[in-house]
Amino acid sequence: IARKNYLGAMSHAEKILSADPENSVGHRVIVNASQALNYPQTMISSLQILKKANPDDKDLTKELAAALEMLGNWDQAEEIMAKLAKVNPDDPVLQQAYKDTAAKATIYRGRYEATFKKDEERVAGDDSAPSNKIRTAEEALNDRINLMEERLQNEQENYKLGVDIAKVYVELKDFDRAFEYYDWVQRENQVSDSTIDKAIADAHEAKFNHDIGQFPEGSPEREGLEAERDEFLLRDCRERADRYPTMPEIRFELGERLFRVGEANEAIQAFQRAQNSPKHRLESLNYLGQCFMQRGLYDMALSQFEKALEEKGVFDEQKKELVYNLACVYEHQGRPQEALHHFKSIYEVDIQFRDVVQKVEAGYSEGT
């Protein structure tokens, strides 16, 4: 870091984190190097892990908000600073920092709304168009692209804007044009960026899904494209996981894709890494439990679901799934009373959840 060899510093830090994913020194190096290289997404991943270990550290919270600002996520940055300001009402520096962030967020939202208001006025003021014309969603997206492309002419190093334009082309199903923009961004940017790589992967997935939708269910063409899609996206995700080894969100995505194709062993490795991320911890534990169930390791599956439920409060869809999976483990272990108890807890709040009605009725009919 001191020698400004930021990529080298990140490489050394990644080796440390591969052996110890929660090493605070390694994550601090990643944060400092990512800030110098303008990699906000990488910064955010490490800052979230540092904050998990030090939840009351005000400086970490401010750093996280700053990284979100760099990424353009003003709403979340404002929300984080608001919470910090609320629990530290006597800190004038922090209160001012929150006001600054809130002001920037307001300006950003105002510019965004003004852009589209101007667009609406321009269309409404077009004398050649009928006064009562209602624009379609496609027309609105095309107008939005025109404005963004005009802006890009004056901001030719604004690669984030190039990515945003590509995303709109994906919405329009104009995939050739979208990939032209992504190719331009990658060629000109010349710096690895996980958010761009993920956007490109999402565009490929959208194109596959669009093509798949052209064929009827069960047709050989559709099944062939689905297999091609899954293979391509898994390969792409593996490459991104290797390229960004310290980013738990990519590990989580890799675990999901491996789980879907039945690669339980490799999926376990990915979810074990991903659970270090506060954002993905509960879902990672849920998937780990399911992976262990697939392998018949019911005691280990039980442990994962119980750990997740200890950290889960509100009885939402995620908790229902955790409780359901836990009950299924008890079924496999030959413990019908415990299984019925948990199925009933879901039945009491959501009778339509999966096959919980049949599970509960079967339990009563068997006299459990």
Side-chain angles (χ1 to χ4, degrees):
I1 293 286
R3 296 179 183 176
K4 298 186 178 180
N5 182 6
Y6 302 116
L7 290 173
M10 287 185 72
S11 178
H12 284 295
E14 286 167 356
K15 290 178 183 177
I16 293 170
L17 294 172
S18 293
D20 180 7
E22 296 190 28
N23 185 285
S24 60
V25 175
H27 282 295
R28 173 45 61 187
V29 171
I30 291 287
V31 168
N32 293 344
S34 298
Q35 185 174 25
L37 293 167
N38 194 28
Y39 292 177
Q41 190 67 55
T42 306
M43 277 181 69
I44 290 167
S45 294
S46 284
L47 283 168
Q48 286 176 327
I49 292 172
L50 288 171
K51 185 166 171 56
K52 177 187 173 185
N54 302 278
D56 298 325
D57 190 320
K58 292 188 290 185
D59 291 333
L60 279 175
T61 304
K62 287 191 283 186
E63 282 187 278
L64 181 57
L68 289 164
E69 288 183 21
M70 289 171 64
L71 197 60
N73 193 339
W74 293 98
D75 289 336
Q76 193 174 350
E78 182 181 11
E79 181 183 348
I80 286 174
M81 289 302 293
K83 289 178 181 177
L84 186 60
K86 185 175 181 180
V87 297
N88 294 276
D90 299 324
D91 187 333
V93 175
L94 193 55
Q95 295 297 319
Q96 186 59 49
Y98 163 60
K99 290 177 183 177
D100 292 343
T101 300
K104 291 175 187 175
T106 301
I107 291 169
Y108 174 81
R109 285 192 290 268
R111 284 177 180 167
Y112 182 87
E113 291 165 5
T115 296
F116 287 96
K117 183 178 180 183
K118 184 178 179 182
D119 180 31
E120 293 288 344
E121 290 171 350
R122 178 174 60 78
V123 174
D126 186 352
D127 294 334
S128 64
S131 59
N132 62 346
K133 181 182 178 183
I134 299 175
R135 289 191 303 164
T136 65
E138 183 176 345
E139 288 172 333
L141 289 173
N142 277 313
D143 284 332
R144 182 180 177 190
I145 282 177
N146 290 335
L147 288 169
M148 296 167 82
E149 288 182 328
E150 286 176 15
R151 180 181 160 198
L152 190 62
Q153 293 299 314
N154 300 317
E155 303 176 29
Q156 294 188 11
E157 293 187 0
N158 189 342
Y159 304 119
K160 182 181 182 301
L161 180 57
V163 170
D164 290 341
I165 293 171
K167 288 179 178 179
V168 179
Y169 275 118
V170 170
E171 286 188 65
L172 285 167
K173 306 293 188 291
D174 188 345
F175 298 106
D176 290 341
R177 191 77 175 119
F179 288 122
E180 283 180 18
Y181 268 98
Y182 281 130
D183 289 343
W184 172 77
V185 169
Q186 287 188 307
R187 184 173 64 252
E188 297 297 324
N189 192 25
Q190 297 182 344
V191 175
S192 294
D193 187 316
S194 64
T195 57
I196 294 174
D197 291 349
K198 180 64 168 74
I200 294 171
D202 289 343
H204 280 292
E205 184 169 16
K207 185 178 187 305
F208 271 117
N209 290 339
H210 175 71
D211 293 343
I212 288 167
Q214 308 306 306
F215 298 97
E217 290 279 355
S219 65
E221 294 87 353
R222 186 183 183 103
E223 292 177 355
L225 279 171
E226 287 174 341
E228 185 182 344
R229 175 198 61 194
D230 294 344
E231 181 182 349
F232 174 88
L233 293 173
L234 177 56
R235 183 173 65 251
D236 175 84
C237 194
R238 285 187 199 275
E239 291 171 358
R240 285 187 287 118
D242 290 339
R243 199 176 304 136
Y244 308 104
T246 63
M247 299 192 69
E249 56 266 42
I250 302 178
R251 294 287 167 186
F252 179 78
E253 181 190 347
L254 177 60
E256 281 191 307
R257 297 197 181 281
L258 289 165
F259 180 79
R260 287 177 200 150
V261 298
E263 295 287 345
N265 283 345
E266 197 175 350
I268 287 170
Q269 295 177 39
F271 289 127
Q272 285 174 336
R273 294 279 295 276
Q275 68 176 316
N276 294 310
S277 164
K279 180 179 178 180
H280 299 103
R281 177 167 172 75
L282 294 182
E283 277 302 303
S284 294
L285 289 170
N286 187 20
Y287 272 118
L288 280 169
Q290 293 176 72
C291 288
F292 289 134
M293 284 180 70
Q294 283 186 3
R295 299 192 59 202
L297 304 172
Y298 298 118
D299 56 335
M300 296 176 71
L302 194 68
S303 173
Q304 305 306 308
F305 296 134
E306 287 176 339
K307 277 194 288 187
L309 285 167
E310 285 174 6
E311 301 176 26
K312 186 69 184 174
V314 61
F315 214 128
D316 57 9
E317 292 300 311
Q318 185 183 52
K319 185 167 183 177
K320 291 174 201 172
E321 184 174 355
L322 286 165
V323 173
Y324 183 92
N325 289 336
L326 180 66
C328 289
V329 174
Y330 283 130
E331 277 190 323
H332 284 292
Q333 290 183 320
R335 299 162 65 181
Q337 289 185 340
E338 289 99 323
L340 179 60
H341 169 75
H342 290 290
F343 285 133
K344 284 166 63 178
S345 70
I346 301 171
Y347 186 98
E348 289 171 356
V349 296
D350 186 357
I351 195 172
Q352 295 183 317
F353 187 81
R354 296 195 187 179
D355 60 347
V356 73
V357 171
Q358 293 90 327
K359 294 284 190 183
V360 171
E361 290 177 352
Y364 276 111
S365 66
E366 293 169 8
T368 302

